[in-house]
């Protein structure tokens, strides 16, 4: 059983060069009926849900060439929250860490001065809130699971050279 990960990562072997796959992705992203939006750079692709359907919990897929692949024929992808959301999570962790250190220092000073160390309650409080923030990442992952599947399917179809699902409709 695989344990959940904060930022799921995968590798994808390809039969052609990454540049050919990235050109195909760029061509499909430029279509008006594409349900995915994104950015294609030299050796880097970012895919996400189109702006009209995007939510706070919408994921972003970052795809790069895999340096460990044989002959450079592999891609490495990582799902993550939108950079604004990721920055918010890291800011919360930073604030909780600083708060825990401050509460511990203040509580130790209270102990040294023979005062009741009520400030030490900040340490378990910071740990509980940190655990909640960590769990919220998995809740967001669950809410964005359908979008993760849609983005990954789009990438797989680009890699395999299959037509878009939108073009298959009558």
């Amino acid at each position: 059983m695989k344990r959940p990960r904060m930022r799921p990562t995968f590798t994808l072997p390809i039969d052609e060069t990454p540049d050919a796959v990235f050109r195909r992705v760029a061509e499909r992203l430029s279509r008006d009926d594409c349900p995915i939006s994104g950015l294609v750079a030299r050796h880097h692709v970012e895919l996400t849900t189109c702006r009209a359907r995007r939510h706070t919990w919408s994921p972003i897929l970052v795809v790069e060439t895999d340096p460990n692949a044989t002959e450079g024929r592999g891609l490495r992808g990582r799902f993550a929250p939108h950079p604004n959301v990721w920055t918010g999570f890291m800011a919360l962790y930073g604030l909780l860490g600083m708060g825990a250190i401050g509460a511990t220092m203040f509580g130790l000073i209270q102990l040294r001065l023979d005062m009741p160390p009520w400030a030490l309650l900040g340490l378990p409080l910071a740990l509980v809130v940190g655990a909640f923030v960590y769990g919220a990442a998995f809740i967001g992952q669950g809410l964005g699971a359908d979008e993760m599947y849609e983005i990954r399917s789009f990438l797989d179809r680009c890699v395999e050279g299959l037509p878009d699902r939108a073009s298959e409709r009558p």
Side-chain angles (χ1 to χ4, degrees):
M1 183 171 99
K2 287 187 175 183
R3 69 175 187 87
R5 293 174 290 169
M6 282 283 274
R7 295 170 56 182
T9 305
F10 62 91
T11 55
L12 189 63
I14 54 176
D15 295 329
E16 51 195 328
T17 64
D19 292 336
V21 174
F22 289 169
R23 277 193 302 273
R24 192 177 304 126
V25 170
E27 184 269 322
R28 290 184 182 188
L29 286 174
S30 65
R31 296 180 186 166
D32 291 335
D33 63 342
C34 186
I36 305 296
S37 66
L39 164 72
V40 179
R42 190 170 186 184
H43 299 286
H44 180 87
V45 175
E46 291 183 5
L47 301 172
T48 189
T49 308
C50 66
R51 187 173 292 277
R53 296 184 13 227
R54 197 173 306 154
H55 303 285
T56 303
W57 57 84
S58 292
I60 186 168
L61 173 61
V62 178
V63 181
E64 299 172 327
T65 56
D66 187 1
N68 299 327
T70 57
E71 299 177 20
R73 295 185 182 252
L75 300 175
R76 182 177 45 201
R78 173 175 283 157
F79 281 102
H82 192 274
N84 296 340
V85 175
W86 185 252
T87 303
F89 270 95
M90 291 300 109
L92 280 173
Y93 284 132
L95 288 173
L96 287 169
M98 288 188 295
I101 290 170
T104 303
M105 289 174 56
F106 190 58
L108 291 175
I109 290 170
Q110 287 175 323
L111 275 175
R112 181 82 171 147
L113 296 174
D114 292 327
M115 298 171 64
W118 56 266
L120 287 177
L121 294 174
L123 183 60
L125 178 66
L127 291 173
V128 167
V129 174
F132 174 75
V133 171
Y134 186 76
F138 295 108
I139 292 169
Q141 226 178 75
L143 292 171
D146 291 339
E147 294 173 57
M148 288 172 70
Y149 177 77
E150 182 179 19
I151 294 168
R152 175 67 193 264
S153 295
F154 175 82
L155 177 65
D156 288 343
R157 295 176 82 70
C158 288
V159 166
E160 296 169 6
L162 298 173
D164 291 334
R165 288 191 176 145
S167 62
E168 293 176 354
R169 295 182 190 139

